């Protein structure tokens, strides 16, 4: 009986506000997966990526580390940038190597092609998860062009899940902070178009029950909001209370689409529940998100092919106009010297063995090169541009 083909690993992208405990959470799930790989001989340890160029040290080993490719401090000095600008520029520089990064990931993490040789060793095992740490300045990664490139490239090859890490004690300190976190979460969800898990971290300090209750029970949030409004009545809390009340109604449907878990990165409580939610989101990604990603990739390829065909057609029309002008004697660029006239006559009138002329042979070769399905679209565009410029 043939064994079931292994599934590709899930990529977990850990994002969160500065101070939310994101890096500690990364260390906890990394240790959990290493322990699991020791107990399960069929799985390998997780594949770890660090995309934070400004961090001094991390409590886990990374298989791919942006700091090995980009020196954050040197980038700040060379381009005269501040901390956030240095992080964005470092990510931009790293994203230029995304093809290399994805080549490594696909080689190390995707299941090997099945063959008649069924002998497998430890090197053939693939990790069950890819975990990615991102910069603490969340807006730098989520809203930058390089962040979008990295996310879309990973999601194109692997089921991808966002783990939005939240500081539970700070979030439940007041309703406005809680609502700010929820609004940020929904903006990231719709910006990335990827499944998301809300991870209420630091439950060893304060449990996540109050925050979850505010999400699931509108009346509970209203009661907390009413208590705060009474305390802040003299400071104009009524307007803010009305706004938060309206936003909580708007986000009710959003809450129903999210998976929520409480985790303590210090004690490890809730980590098993987190990975149960990850598997649920894997199914959701393959069912709802993967077809949409495939459709968008197909549209991009179709646009690229149409642009290539347009360049070919325009170049061929220009060549036909040029040849017709020469034959009718209306070609504007007349030779100015005897040598130029002799070269023009020899190029246009010399017959080849098959009866065609040099012009015909050049046209055929250009057409064949540009219409070759395996040709490079950018090369075709450059050739067309060069020919057009030389014929003006």
């Amino acid at each position: 009986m043939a064994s079931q083909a292994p599934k590709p690993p899930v990529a977990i992208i850990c994002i969160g506000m500065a101070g939310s405990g994101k890096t500690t959470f990364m260390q906890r799930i990394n240790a959990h997966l290493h322990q699991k790989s020791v107990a399960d001989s069929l799985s390998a340890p997780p594949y770890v990526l660090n995309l934070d160029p400004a961090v001094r040290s991390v409590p886990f080993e990374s298989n791919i580390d942006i700091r090995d490719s980009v020196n954050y401090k040197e980038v700040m000095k060379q381009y005269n940038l501040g901390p956030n600008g240095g992080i964005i520029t470092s990510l931009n520089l790293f994203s230029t190597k995304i093809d290399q990064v994805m080549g490594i990931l696909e080689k190390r993490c995707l299941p090997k092609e099945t063959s008649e040789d069924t002998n497998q060793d430890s090197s053939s095992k693939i990790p069950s998860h890819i975990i990615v740490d991102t910069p603490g300045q969340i807006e730098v990664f989520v809203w930058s062009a390089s962040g979008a490139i990295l996310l879309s490239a990973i999601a194109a090859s692997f089921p991808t899940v966002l783990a939005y890490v939240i500081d539970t004690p700070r979030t439940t300190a007041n309703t406005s902070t809680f609502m700010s976190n929820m609004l940020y979460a929904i903006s990231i969800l719709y910006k990335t178009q990827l499944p998301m898990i809300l991870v209420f971290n630091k439950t060893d300090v304060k449990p996540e029950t109050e925050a979850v209750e505010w999400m699931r029970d509108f009346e509970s949030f209203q009661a907390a909001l009413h208590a705060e409004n009474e305390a802040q009545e003299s400071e104009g809390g009524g307007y803010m209370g009305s706004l938060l009340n309206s936003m909580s109604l708007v986000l009710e449907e959003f809450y129903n689409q999210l998976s929520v878990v409480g985790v303590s990165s210090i004690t490890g409580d809730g980590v098993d529940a987190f990975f149960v939610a990850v598997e649920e989101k894997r199914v959701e990604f393959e069912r709802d998100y993967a077809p949409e990603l495939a459709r968008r990739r197909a549209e991009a390829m179709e646009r690229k092919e149409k642009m290539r065909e347009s360049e070919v057609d325009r170049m061929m029309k220009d060549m036909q106009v040029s040849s017709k002008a020469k034959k009718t004697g209306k070609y504007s660029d007349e030779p100015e010297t005897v040598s130029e006239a002799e070269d023009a006559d020899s190029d246009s009138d010399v017959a080849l063995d098959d009866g065609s002329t040099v012009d015909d042979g050049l046209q055929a070769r250009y057409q064949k090169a540009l219409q070759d399905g395996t040709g490079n679209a950018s090369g075709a565009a450059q050739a067309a541009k060069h020919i057009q410029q030389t014929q003006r």
Side-chain angles (χ1 to χ4, degrees), residues 14 39 91 94 97 137 177 207 218 232 251 258 290 313-314 364:
C14 295
L91 283 170
F94 185 75
K97 303 182 179 181
Q137 289 81 352
T177 304
F218 172 74
Q232 300 175 1
L251 296 183
L258 288 177
D313 292 341
R314 186 172 62 179

Side-chain angles (χ1 to χ4, degrees), residues 295-321:
R295 184 188 65 80
R296 284 188 284 176
R297 286 198 299 270
E299 289 180 351
M301 291 297 294
E302 185 178 355
R303 288 195 299 269
K304 185 177 179 181
E305 180 65 19
K306 287 182 179 179
M307 290 179 62
R308 187 184 71 84
E309 292 177 356
S310 175
E311 290 289 344
V312 172
D313 292 341
R314 186 172 62 179
M315 189 211 71
M316 296 310 301
K317 289 179 180 178
D318 289 346
M319 291 182 67
Q320 291 171 3
V321 170

Side-chain angles (χ1 to χ4, degrees), residues 9-12 33 36 44-48 127-131 275 278-279:
V10 182
I12 303 172
L33 291 173
K36 185 178 179 181
Y47 209 82
V48 184
S128 59
H129 297 82
I130 300 170
I131 54 178
F275 282 105
V278 167
E279 288 304 311

Side-chain angles (χ1 to χ4, degrees), residues 131-178:
I131 54 178
V132 183
D133 194 15
T134 59
Q137 289 81 352
I138 187 172
E139 69 283 354
V140 168
F141 181 79
V142 174
W143 300 105
S144 66
S146 54
I149 291 171
L150 293 167
L151 279 176
S152 60
I154 294 174
S157 298
F158 303 95
T160 305
V161 177
L162 298 177
Y164 183 62
V165 184
I166 299 173
D167 185 340
T168 306
R170 183 176 299 176
T171 298
T172 55
N174 54 65
T175 54
S176 59
T177 304
F178 170 81

Side-chain angles (χ1 to χ4, degrees), residues 313-381:
D313 292 341
R314 186 172 62 179
M315 189 211 71
M316 296 310 301
K317 289 179 180 178
D318 289 346
M319 291 182 67
Q320 291 171 3
V321 170
S322 176
S323 299
K324 184 177 180 180
K326 285 184 178 181
K327 292 177 181 179
T328 58
K330 297 181 180 179
Y331 190 67
S332 60
D333 292 338
E334 297 180 356
E336 296 181 355
T337 64
V338 175
S339 60
E340 288 180 358
E342 292 176 349
D343 291 341
D345 291 339
S346 62
D347 287 343
S348 60
D349 298 334
V350 174
L352 302 179
D353 293 339
D354 58 359
S356 62
T357 64
V358 173
D359 280 349
D360 295 334
L362 285 173
Q363 181 172 341
R365 287 199 296 273
Y366 282 127
Q367 186 171 4
K368 180 180 179 182
L370 291 170
Q371 291 182 346
D372 186 2
T374 60
N376 191 336
S378 61

